[in-house]
Amino acid sequence: MDVVSIRDFSREQIEHVLKIADKMVPIAKGEERSVLLEGFVLGSLFYEPSTRTRLSFDCAMTRLGGRTLGFDEPKGSSVAKGETLADTIRMVDAYCDVIVLRHPQEGAARLAAHFAGKPVINAGDGAGQHPTQTMLDLFTIRKEKKSIEGMNVVLVGDLKYGRTVHSLAEALAMFGAQLTFVAPPSLQIPKEHLKQVEAMGEKPKISSSLQDVIGDADVLYVTRIQKERFPDPAEYQKVAGTYRIDLEMLKDVKKDMMIMHPLPRVGEIAPEVDLTPHAKYFDQAFNGVPVRMALLGLVLGGLK
Ligand code: NCD
């Protein structure tokens, strides 16, 4: 099956992925060996920069005994000669067993899934969705808080262009979390995603002031302003640096409030926050490995 949008998954299906991911942790850490995906090949096509997503897929595949091929920079492939996405996908489809695609255009993964016979996993399509990031985010919250239901999750930063929050907000609503969206008015969560959240019976709060809401947060999900998606650099300058989490900001937060960030951060979280018990973003980044192992095992390895 393809993994294109979080909307394609039921709560039960996501719970199942998280359960398998839990069992993958010792293999992800290198404490146990596995040959579950021996002989399988993953095609990894990254048309946009990536560190965590690309390397954790590669790590997940390798830890399960499989191999990865592909590119991390379309300039070195026939894309630079003008090859269409559809043609590249048809080729890679013949060379591998599963395709992981990151692309600047929203809808690219859906298009790829149409042309590929093999399963396609969306590793981020423009300002669209990032479903595997959502699963590792849910895994991280579940691990720290034991439950997602009833948690007060504050999502802050670029909610307009940030694809991680688009898929995460919808999934959190499905799991019964309470949501607060904090952004400058020009970067608030798009109507399409808000509607989806409300359709799940959630009544999210909308604010532009982090100070007003941070005290009630169980989870603070911080995001980078997505500079590369702004049509006008002057518009980016107006909102750059709007929110910064530092020790002063954390003065009156709940003792067990956890801070997450899909990373990379570019100034939204001061380095001194890393030393507080609130900081969970590096654990979160590691969790990408067991969660992606679970997905690959389900898609390729006959795990049920
Ligand atoms: C995010 C992305 O690419 O959407 N990174 C990631 O996959 N962990 C977030 C970002 O780039 O800001």
PDB file of all heavy atoms in Angstrom, residues 2-5 8 47 85 89 99-116 118-126 128-131:
ATOM      1  N   ASP A   2       0.342   2.327  -0.613  1.00  0.00           N
ATOM      2  CA  ASP A   2       1.075   3.600  -0.627  1.00  0.00           C
ATOM      3  C   ASP A   2       0.889   4.327   0.701  1.00  0.00           C
ATOM      4  O   ASP A   2      -0.096   4.113   1.402  1.00  0.00           O
ATOM      5  CB  ASP A   2       0.536   4.498  -1.750  1.00  0.00           C
ATOM      6  CG  ASP A   2       0.670   3.854  -3.117  1.00  0.00           C
ATOM      7  OD1 ASP A   2       1.788   3.403  -3.431  1.00  0.00           O
ATOM      8  OD2 ASP A   2      -0.328   3.789  -3.862  1.00  0.00           O
ATOM      9  N   VAL A   3       1.853   5.209   1.027  1.00  0.00           N
ATOM     10  CA  VAL A   3       1.722   6.075   2.197  1.00  0.00           C
ATOM     11  C   VAL A   3       1.820   7.503   1.675  1.00  0.00           C
ATOM     12  O   VAL A   3       2.912   8.076   1.608  1.00  0.00           O
ATOM     13  CB  VAL A   3       2.826   5.785   3.240  1.00  0.00           C
ATOM     14  CG1 VAL A   3       2.635   6.647   4.485  1.00  0.00           C
ATOM     15  CG2 VAL A   3       2.852   4.298   3.624  1.00  0.00           C
ATOM     16  N   VAL A   4       0.692   8.062   1.253  1.00  0.00           N
ATOM     17  CA  VAL A   4       0.709   9.374   0.597  1.00  0.00           C
ATOM     18  C   VAL A   4       0.204  10.469   1.528  1.00  0.00           C
ATOM     19  O   VAL A   4       0.808  11.525   1.655  1.00  0.00           O
ATOM     20  CB  VAL A   4      -0.121   9.336  -0.715  1.00  0.00           C
ATOM     21  CG1 VAL A   4      -0.304  10.738  -1.279  1.00  0.00           C
ATOM     22  CG2 VAL A   4       0.569   8.445  -1.750  1.00  0.00           C
ATOM     23  N   SER A   5      -0.932  10.203   2.194  1.00  0.00           N
ATOM     24  CA  SER A   5      -1.531  11.210   3.072  1.00  0.00           C
ATOM     25  C   SER A   5      -1.960  10.520   4.356  1.00  0.00           C
ATOM     26  O   SER A   5      -2.386   9.362   4.336  1.00  0.00           O
ATOM     27  CB  SER A   5      -2.751  11.820   2.382  1.00  0.00           C
ATOM     28  OG  SER A   5      -3.559  12.486   3.331  1.00  0.00           O
ATOM     29  N   ASP A   8      -5.354   8.807   4.564  1.00  0.00           N
ATOM     30  CA  ASP A   8      -5.613   7.459   4.038  1.00  0.00           C
ATOM     31  C   ASP A   8      -5.588   6.407   5.146  1.00  0.00           C
ATOM     32  O   ASP A   8      -5.831   5.227   4.892  1.00  0.00           O
ATOM     33  CB  ASP A   8      -4.560   7.086   2.974  1.00  0.00           C
ATOM     34  CG  ASP A   8      -4.547   8.074   1.819  1.00  0.00           C
ATOM     35  OD1 ASP A   8      -5.579   8.741   1.611  1.00  0.00           O
ATOM     36  OD2 ASP A   8      -3.505   8.196   1.140  1.00  0.00           O
ATOM     37  N   TYR A  47      14.093  15.286  -4.158  1.00  0.00           N
ATOM     38  CA  TYR A  47      14.164  16.488  -5.003  1.00  0.00           C
ATOM     39  C   TYR A  47      14.322  17.745  -4.152  1.00  0.00           C
ATOM     40  O   TYR A  47      14.363  18.846  -4.692  1.00  0.00           O
ATOM     41  CB  TYR A  47      12.880  16.619  -5.842  1.00  0.00           C
ATOM     42  CG  TYR A  47      12.715  15.598  -6.941  1.00  0.00           C
ATOM     43  CD1 TYR A  47      12.429  14.262  -6.653  1.00  0.00           C
ATOM     44  CD2 TYR A  47      12.831  15.956  -8.289  1.00  0.00           C
ATOM     45  CE1 TYR A  47      12.252  13.326  -7.656  1.00  0.00           C
ATOM     46  CE2 TYR A  47      12.649  15.027  -9.301  1.00  0.00           C
ATOM     47  CZ  TYR A  47      12.361  13.713  -8.972  1.00  0.00           C
ATOM     48  OH  TYR A  47      12.177  12.788  -9.973  1.00  0.00           O
ATOM     49  N   LEU A  85       8.685  13.816 -13.825  1.00  0.00           N
ATOM     50  CA  LEU A  85       8.567  12.976 -12.630  1.00  0.00           C
ATOM     51  C   LEU A  85       7.963  11.622 -13.011  1.00  0.00           C
ATOM     52  O   LEU A  85       8.436  10.576 -12.558  1.00  0.00           O
ATOM     53  CB  LEU A  85       7.686  13.685 -11.583  1.00  0.00           C
ATOM     54  CG  LEU A  85       7.407  12.898 -10.307  1.00  0.00           C
ATOM     55  CD1 LEU A  85       8.701  12.605  -9.538  1.00  0.00           C
ATOM     56  CD2 LEU A  85       6.427  13.649  -9.389  1.00  0.00           C
ATOM     57  N   ILE A  89       9.810   8.087 -12.255  1.00  0.00           N
ATOM     58  CA  ILE A  89       9.127   7.114 -11.400  1.00  0.00           C
ATOM     59  C   ILE A  89       8.994   5.768 -12.124  1.00  0.00           C
ATOM     60  O   ILE A  89       9.246   4.706 -11.535  1.00  0.00           O
ATOM     61  CB  ILE A  89       7.738   7.652 -10.956  1.00  0.00           C
ATOM     62  CG1 ILE A  89       7.907   8.826  -9.993  1.00  0.00           C
ATOM     63  CG2 ILE A  89       6.882   6.548 -10.337  1.00  0.00           C
ATOM     64  CD1 ILE A  89       8.524   8.486  -8.646  1.00  0.00           C
ATOM     65  N   ILE A  99       9.293   2.954  -3.253  1.00  0.00           N
ATOM     66  CA  ILE A  99       9.839   4.268  -3.619  1.00  0.00           C
ATOM     67  C   ILE A  99       9.531   5.275  -2.513  1.00  0.00           C
ATOM     68  O   ILE A  99       8.370   5.399  -2.093  1.00  0.00           O
ATOM     69  CB  ILE A  99       9.224   4.772  -4.947  1.00  0.00           C
ATOM     70  CG1 ILE A  99       9.554   3.790  -6.082  1.00  0.00           C
ATOM     71  CG2 ILE A  99       9.711   6.187  -5.284  1.00  0.00           C
ATOM     72  CD1 ILE A  99       8.844   4.093  -7.394  1.00  0.00           C
ATOM     73  N   VAL A 100      10.576   5.968  -2.045  1.00  0.00           N
ATOM     74  CA  VAL A 100      10.388   7.052  -1.073  1.00  0.00           C
ATOM     75  C   VAL A 100      10.664   8.356  -1.817  1.00  0.00           C
ATOM     76  O   VAL A 100      11.732   8.528  -2.398  1.00  0.00           O
ATOM     77  CB  VAL A 100      11.350   6.878   0.127  1.00  0.00           C
ATOM     78  CG1 VAL A 100      11.285   8.098   1.035  1.00  0.00           C
ATOM     79  CG2 VAL A 100      10.990   5.619   0.916  1.00  0.00           C
ATOM     80  N   LEU A 101       9.692   9.249  -1.817  1.00  0.00           N
ATOM     81  CA  LEU A 101       9.794  10.469  -2.631  1.00  0.00           C
ATOM     82  C   LEU A 101       9.611  11.731  -1.802  1.00  0.00           C
ATOM     83  O   LEU A 101       8.619  11.872  -1.078  1.00  0.00           O
ATOM     84  CB  LEU A 101       8.715  10.448  -3.726  1.00  0.00           C
ATOM     85  CG  LEU A 101       8.595  11.705  -4.602  1.00  0.00           C
ATOM     86  CD1 LEU A 101       9.767  11.829  -5.571  1.00  0.00           C
ATOM     87  CD2 LEU A 101       7.267  11.718  -5.371  1.00  0.00           C
ATOM     88  N   ARG A 102      10.571  12.650  -1.920  1.00  0.00           N
ATOM     89  CA  ARG A 102      10.383  14.021  -1.414  1.00  0.00           C
ATOM     90  C   ARG A 102      10.436  14.953  -2.604  1.00  0.00           C
ATOM     91  O   ARG A 102      11.365  14.875  -3.426  1.00  0.00           O
ATOM     92  CB  ARG A 102      11.454  14.404  -0.402  1.00  0.00           C
ATOM     93  CG  ARG A 102      11.434  15.902  -0.107  1.00  0.00           C
ATOM     94  CD  ARG A 102      12.240  16.285   1.087  1.00  0.00           C
ATOM     95  NE  ARG A 102      11.618  15.811   2.312  1.00  0.00           N
ATOM     96  CZ  ARG A 102      12.048  16.128   3.528  1.00  0.00           C
ATOM     97  NH1 ARG A 102      13.103  16.900   3.675  1.00  0.00           N
ATOM     98  NH2 ARG A 102      11.436  15.663   4.600  1.00  0.00           N
ATOM     99  N   HIS A 103       9.467  15.858  -2.687  1.00  0.00           N
ATOM    100  CA  HIS A 103       9.351  16.702  -3.880  1.00  0.00           C
ATOM    101  C   HIS A 103       8.778  18.069  -3.494  1.00  0.00           C
ATOM    102  O   HIS A 103       7.943  18.146  -2.586  1.00  0.00           O
ATOM    103  CB  HIS A 103       8.432  15.993  -4.888  1.00  0.00           C
ATOM    104  CG  HIS A 103       8.528  16.511  -6.279  1.00  0.00           C
ATOM    105  ND1 HIS A 103       7.872  17.652  -6.686  1.00  0.00           N
ATOM    106  CD2 HIS A 103       9.202  16.062  -7.363  1.00  0.00           C
ATOM    107  CE1 HIS A 103       8.146  17.876  -7.952  1.00  0.00           C
ATOM    108  NE2 HIS A 103       8.957  16.928  -8.398  1.00  0.00           N
ATOM    109  N   PRO A 104       9.215  19.142  -4.156  1.00  0.00           N
ATOM    110  CA  PRO A 104       8.713  20.476  -3.776  1.00  0.00           C
ATOM    111  C   PRO A 104       7.250  20.725  -4.118  1.00  0.00           C
ATOM    112  O   PRO A 104       6.654  21.680  -3.620  1.00  0.00           O
ATOM    113  CB  PRO A 104       9.616  21.448  -4.544  1.00  0.00           C
ATOM    114  CG  PRO A 104      10.233  20.649  -5.646  1.00  0.00           C
ATOM    115  CD  PRO A 104      10.285  19.226  -5.153  1.00  0.00           C
ATOM    116  N   GLN A 105       6.666  19.889  -4.997  1.00  0.00           N
ATOM    117  CA  GLN A 105       5.286  20.162  -5.397  1.00  0.00           C
ATOM    118  C   GLN A 105       4.264  19.343  -4.613  1.00  0.00           C
ATOM    119  O   GLN A 105       4.398  18.121  -4.491  1.00  0.00           O
ATOM    120  CB  GLN A 105       5.098  19.858  -6.877  1.00  0.00           C
ATOM    121  CG  GLN A 105       5.003  21.110  -7.711  1.00  0.00           C
ATOM    122  CD  GLN A 105       5.527  20.892  -9.105  1.00  0.00           C
ATOM    123  OE1 GLN A 105       5.725  19.759  -9.537  1.00  0.00           O
ATOM    124  NE2 GLN A 105       5.766  21.979  -9.804  1.00  0.00           N
ATOM    125  N   GLU A 106       3.253  20.031  -4.112  1.00  0.00           N
ATOM    126  CA  GLU A 106       2.161  19.359  -3.427  1.00  0.00           C
ATOM    127  C   GLU A 106       1.474  18.436  -4.439  1.00  0.00           C
ATOM    128  O   GLU A 106       1.234  18.821  -5.577  1.00  0.00           O
ATOM    129  CB  GLU A 106       1.182  20.442  -2.941  1.00  0.00           C
ATOM    130  CG  GLU A 106       0.343  19.997  -1.809  1.00  0.00           C
ATOM    131  CD  GLU A 106      -0.424  21.154  -1.172  1.00  0.00           C
ATOM    132  OE1 GLU A 106       0.094  22.276  -1.079  1.00  0.00           O
ATOM    133  OE2 GLU A 106      -1.561  20.900  -0.759  1.00  0.00           O
ATOM    134  N   GLY A 107       1.191  17.219  -4.028  1.00  0.00           N
ATOM    135  CA  GLY A 107       0.517  16.288  -4.937  1.00  0.00           C
ATOM    136  C   GLY A 107       1.478  15.388  -5.695  1.00  0.00           C
ATOM    137  O   GLY A 107       1.051  14.454  -6.384  1.00  0.00           O
ATOM    138  N   ALA A 108       2.802  15.648  -5.563  1.00  0.00           N
ATOM    139  CA  ALA A 108       3.789  14.861  -6.319  1.00  0.00           C
ATOM    140  C   ALA A 108       3.738  13.378  -5.942  1.00  0.00           C
ATOM    141  O   ALA A 108       3.838  12.500  -6.812  1.00  0.00           O
ATOM    142  CB  ALA A 108       5.196  15.417  -6.090  1.00  0.00           C
ATOM    143  N   ALA A 109       3.551  13.087  -4.662  1.00  0.00           N
ATOM    144  CA  ALA A 109       3.551  11.683  -4.226  1.00  0.00           C
ATOM    145  C   ALA A 109       2.330  10.948  -4.774  1.00  0.00           C
ATOM    146  O   ALA A 109       2.408   9.779  -5.151  1.00  0.00           O
ATOM    147  CB  ALA A 109       3.587  11.603  -2.701  1.00  0.00           C
ATOM    148  N   ARG A 110       1.201  11.654  -4.812  1.00  0.00           N
ATOM    149  CA  ARG A 110      -0.023  11.049  -5.350  1.00  0.00           C
ATOM    150  C   ARG A 110       0.189  10.723  -6.825  1.00  0.00           C
ATOM    151  O   ARG A 110      -0.175   9.654  -7.302  1.00  0.00           O
ATOM    152  CB  ARG A 110      -1.188  12.029  -5.142  1.00  0.00           C
ATOM    153  CG  ARG A 110      -2.551  11.503  -5.483  1.00  0.00           C
ATOM    154  CD  ARG A 110      -3.116  10.466  -4.522  1.00  0.00           C
ATOM    155  NE  ARG A 110      -3.523  10.998  -3.241  1.00  0.00           N
ATOM    156  CZ  ARG A 110      -3.740  10.245  -2.165  1.00  0.00           C
ATOM    157  NH1 ARG A 110      -3.583   8.936  -2.217  1.00  0.00           N
ATOM    158  NH2 ARG A 110      -4.087  10.788  -1.026  1.00  0.00           N
ATOM    159  N   LEU A 111       0.818  11.663  -7.542  1.00  0.00           N
ATOM    160  CA  LEU A 111       1.091  11.443  -8.969  1.00  0.00           C
ATOM    161  C   LEU A 111       2.040  10.246  -9.138  1.00  0.00           C
ATOM    162  O   LEU A 111       1.820   9.374  -9.984  1.00  0.00           O
ATOM    163  CB  LEU A 111       1.731  12.702  -9.575  1.00  0.00           C
ATOM    164  CG  LEU A 111       2.030  12.606 -11.061  1.00  0.00           C
ATOM    165  CD1 LEU A 111       0.883  13.226 -11.855  1.00  0.00           C
ATOM    166  CD2 LEU A 111       3.332  13.304 -11.426  1.00  0.00           C
ATOM    167  N   ALA A 112       3.079  10.203  -8.317  1.00  0.00           N
ATOM    168  CA  ALA A 112       4.052   9.104  -8.393  1.00  0.00           C
ATOM    169  C   ALA A 112       3.352   7.768  -8.143  1.00  0.00           C
ATOM    170  O   ALA A 112       3.610   6.772  -8.831  1.00  0.00           O
ATOM    171  CB  ALA A 112       5.178   9.330  -7.381  1.00  0.00           C
ATOM    172  N   ALA A 113       2.450   7.748  -7.169  1.00  0.00           N
ATOM    173  CA  ALA A 113       1.742   6.507  -6.837  1.00  0.00           C
ATOM    174  C   ALA A 113       0.910   6.031  -8.028  1.00  0.00           C
ATOM    175  O   ALA A 113       0.732   4.832  -8.242  1.00  0.00           O
ATOM    176  CB  ALA A 113       0.847   6.727  -5.616  1.00  0.00           C
ATOM    177  N   HIS A 114       0.449   6.992  -8.815  1.00  0.00           N
ATOM    178  CA  HIS A 114      -0.341   6.660  -9.995  1.00  0.00           C
ATOM    179  C   HIS A 114       0.525   5.957 -11.049  1.00  0.00           C
ATOM    180  O   HIS A 114       0.076   5.027 -11.718  1.00  0.00           O
ATOM    181  CB  HIS A 114      -0.952   7.950 -10.555  1.00  0.00           C
ATOM    182  CG  HIS A 114      -1.700   7.763 -11.826  1.00  0.00           C
ATOM    183  ND1 HIS A 114      -2.973   7.241 -11.855  1.00  0.00           N
ATOM    184  CD2 HIS A 114      -1.352   8.007 -13.108  1.00  0.00           C
ATOM    185  CE1 HIS A 114      -3.380   7.181 -13.108  1.00  0.00           C
ATOM    186  NE2 HIS A 114      -2.410   7.635 -13.894  1.00  0.00           N
ATOM    187  N   PHE A 115       1.765   6.404 -11.187  1.00  0.00           N
ATOM    188  CA  PHE A 115       2.642   5.841 -12.228  1.00  0.00           C
ATOM    189  C   PHE A 115       3.447   4.630 -11.762  1.00  0.00           C
ATOM    190  O   PHE A 115       4.006   3.910 -12.574  1.00  0.00           O
ATOM    191  CB  PHE A 115       3.587   6.923 -12.764  1.00  0.00           C
ATOM    192  CG  PHE A 115       2.888   7.898 -13.668  1.00  0.00           C
ATOM    193  CD1 PHE A 115       2.470   9.137 -13.208  1.00  0.00           C
ATOM    194  CD2 PHE A 115       2.610   7.551 -14.986  1.00  0.00           C
ATOM    195  CE1 PHE A 115       1.792  10.020 -14.032  1.00  0.00           C
ATOM    196  CE2 PHE A 115       1.939   8.433 -15.829  1.00  0.00           C
ATOM    197  CZ  PHE A 115       1.526   9.676 -15.349  1.00  0.00           C
ATOM    198  N   ALA A 116       3.538   4.439 -10.451  1.00  0.00           N
ATOM    199  CA  ALA A 116       4.359   3.338  -9.936  1.00  0.00           C
ATOM    200  C   ALA A 116       3.496   2.110  -9.657  1.00  0.00           C
ATOM    201  O   ALA A 116       2.361   2.222  -9.184  1.00  0.00           O
ATOM    202  CB  ALA A 116       5.053   3.777  -8.645  1.00  0.00           C
ATOM    203  N   LYS A 118       4.970  -0.214  -7.711  1.00  0.00           N
ATOM    204  CA  LYS A 118       5.469  -0.493  -6.362  1.00  0.00           C
ATOM    205  C   LYS A 118       4.904   0.552  -5.389  1.00  0.00           C
ATOM    206  O   LYS A 118       4.517   1.637  -5.811  1.00  0.00           O
ATOM    207  CB  LYS A 118       7.010  -0.417  -6.355  1.00  0.00           C
ATOM    208  CG  LYS A 118       7.677  -1.248  -7.452  1.00  0.00           C
ATOM    209  CD  LYS A 118       7.686  -2.729  -7.131  1.00  0.00           C
ATOM    210  CE  LYS A 118       8.052  -3.587  -8.337  1.00  0.00           C
ATOM    211  NZ  LYS A 118       9.342  -3.303  -8.941  1.00  0.00           N
ATOM    212  N   PRO A 119       4.909   0.232  -4.105  1.00  0.00           N
ATOM    213  CA  PRO A 119       4.385   1.197  -3.130  1.00  0.00           C
ATOM    214  C   PRO A 119       5.211   2.498  -3.123  1.00  0.00           C
ATOM    215  O   PRO A 119       6.438   2.454  -3.247  1.00  0.00           O
ATOM    216  CB  PRO A 119       4.536   0.480  -1.788  1.00  0.00           C
ATOM    217  CG  PRO A 119       4.777  -0.954  -2.103  1.00  0.00           C
ATOM    218  CD  PRO A 119       5.344  -1.026  -3.480  1.00  0.00           C
ATOM    219  N   VAL A 120       4.521   3.629  -2.977  1.00  0.00           N
ATOM    220  CA  VAL A 120       5.176   4.938  -2.877  1.00  0.00           C
ATOM    221  C   VAL A 120       4.952   5.493  -1.478  1.00  0.00           C
ATOM    222  O   VAL A 120       3.821   5.480  -0.974  1.00  0.00           O
ATOM    223  CB  VAL A 120       4.609   5.927  -3.930  1.00  0.00           C
ATOM    224  CG1 VAL A 120       5.112   7.344  -3.676  1.00  0.00           C
ATOM    225  CG2 VAL A 120       4.989   5.472  -5.341  1.00  0.00           C
ATOM    226  N   ILE A 121       6.026   5.953  -0.861  1.00  0.00           N
ATOM    227  CA  ILE A 121       5.927   6.585   0.460  1.00  0.00           C
ATOM    228  C   ILE A 121       6.265   8.059   0.304  1.00  0.00           C
ATOM    229  O   ILE A 121       7.332   8.414  -0.208  1.00  0.00           O
ATOM    230  CB  ILE A 121       6.886   5.906   1.472  1.00  0.00           C
ATOM    231  CG1 ILE A 121       6.532   4.408   1.597  1.00  0.00           C
ATOM    232  CG2 ILE A 121       6.812   6.607   2.828  1.00  0.00           C
ATOM    233  CD1 ILE A 121       7.395   3.638   2.593  1.00  0.00           C
ATOM    234  N   ASN A 122       5.346   8.910   0.745  1.00  0.00           N
ATOM    235  CA  ASN A 122       5.529  10.361   0.654  1.00  0.00           C
ATOM    236  C   ASN A 122       6.455  10.837   1.779  1.00  0.00           C
ATOM    237  O   ASN A 122       6.110  10.771   2.946  1.00  0.00           O
ATOM    238  CB  ASN A 122       4.148  11.031   0.774  1.00  0.00           C
ATOM    239  CG  ASN A 122       4.209  12.532   0.631  1.00  0.00           C
ATOM    240  OD1 ASN A 122       5.266  13.090   0.355  1.00  0.00           O
ATOM    241  ND2 ASN A 122       3.063  13.189   0.811  1.00  0.00           N
ATOM    242  N   ALA A 123       7.628  11.347   1.386  1.00  0.00           N
ATOM    243  CA  ALA A 123       8.573  11.868   2.384  1.00  0.00           C
ATOM    244  C   ALA A 123       8.500  13.389   2.438  1.00  0.00           C
ATOM    245  O   ALA A 123       9.459  14.059   2.811  1.00  0.00           O
ATOM    246  CB  ALA A 123       9.989  11.403   2.040  1.00  0.00           C
ATOM    247  N   GLY A 124       7.339  13.938   2.060  1.00  0.00           N
ATOM    248  CA  GLY A 124       7.127  15.390   2.057  1.00  0.00           C
ATOM    249  C   GLY A 124       6.863  15.869   0.646  1.00  0.00           C
ATOM    250  O   GLY A 124       7.730  15.731  -0.212  1.00  0.00           O
ATOM    251  N   ASP A 125       5.654  16.419   0.411  1.00  0.00           N
ATOM    252  CA  ASP A 125       5.339  16.981  -0.915  1.00  0.00           C
ATOM    253  C   ASP A 125       5.007  18.458  -0.756  1.00  0.00           C
ATOM    254  O   ASP A 125       3.904  18.830  -0.386  1.00  0.00           O
ATOM    255  CB  ASP A 125       4.201  16.201  -1.607  1.00  0.00           C
ATOM    256  CG  ASP A 125       2.875  16.224  -0.843  1.00  0.00           C
ATOM    257  OD1 ASP A 125       2.906  16.250   0.414  1.00  0.00           O
ATOM    258  OD2 ASP A 125       1.818  16.239  -1.498  1.00  0.00           O
ATOM    259  N   GLY A 126       5.972  19.301  -1.032  1.00  0.00           N
ATOM    260  CA  GLY A 126       5.782  20.749  -0.924  1.00  0.00           C
ATOM    261  C   GLY A 126       5.197  21.128   0.421  1.00  0.00           C
ATOM    262  O   GLY A 126       5.629  20.630   1.463  1.00  0.00           O
ATOM    263  N   GLY A 128       2.370  20.259   1.337  1.00  0.00           N
ATOM    264  CA  GLY A 128       1.259  19.314   1.494  1.00  0.00           C
ATOM    265  C   GLY A 128       1.302  18.545   2.793  1.00  0.00           C
ATOM    266  O   GLY A 128       0.884  19.039   3.848  1.00  0.00           O
ATOM    267  N   GLN A 129       1.837  17.330   2.729  1.00  0.00           N
ATOM    268  CA  GLN A 129       1.796  16.414   3.872  1.00  0.00           C
ATOM    269  C   GLN A 129       3.158  15.780   4.109  1.00  0.00           C
ATOM    270  O   GLN A 129       4.039  15.810   3.242  1.00  0.00           O
ATOM    271  CB  GLN A 129       0.782  15.304   3.580  1.00  0.00           C
ATOM    272  CG  GLN A 129      -0.651  15.779   3.558  1.00  0.00           C
ATOM    273  CD  GLN A 129      -1.500  15.102   4.621  1.00  0.00           C
ATOM    274  OE1 GLN A 129      -1.115  14.128   5.253  1.00  0.00           O
ATOM    275  NE2 GLN A 129      -2.679  15.644   4.844  1.00  0.00           N
ATOM    276  N   HIS A 130       3.315  15.190   5.281  1.00  0.00           N
ATOM    277  CA  HIS A 130       4.548  14.466   5.634  1.00  0.00           C
ATOM    278  C   HIS A 130       4.119  13.329   6.572  1.00  0.00           C
ATOM    279  O   HIS A 130       4.392  13.350   7.770  1.00  0.00           O
ATOM    280  CB  HIS A 130       5.510  15.436   6.318  1.00  0.00           C
ATOM    281  CG  HIS A 130       6.938  14.972   6.368  1.00  0.00           C
ATOM    282  ND1 HIS A 130       7.325  13.668   6.116  1.00  0.00           N
ATOM    283  CD2 HIS A 130       8.076  15.653   6.656  1.00  0.00           C
ATOM    284  CE1 HIS A 130       8.644  13.591   6.257  1.00  0.00           C
ATOM    285  NE2 HIS A 130       9.126  14.771   6.574  1.00  0.00           N
ATOM    286  N   PRO A 131       3.413  12.327   6.014  1.00  0.00           N
ATOM    287  CA  PRO A 131       2.746  11.336   6.881  1.00  0.00           C
ATOM    288  C   PRO A 131       3.684  10.494   7.742  1.00  0.00           C
ATOM    289  O   PRO A 131       3.315  10.137   8.865  1.00  0.00           O
ATOM    290  CB  PRO A 131       1.971  10.455   5.885  1.00  0.00           C
ATOM    291  CG  PRO A 131       2.587  10.698   4.552  1.00  0.00           C
ATOM    292  CD  PRO A 131       3.120  12.096   4.584  1.00  0.00           C
TER     293      PRO A 131
END
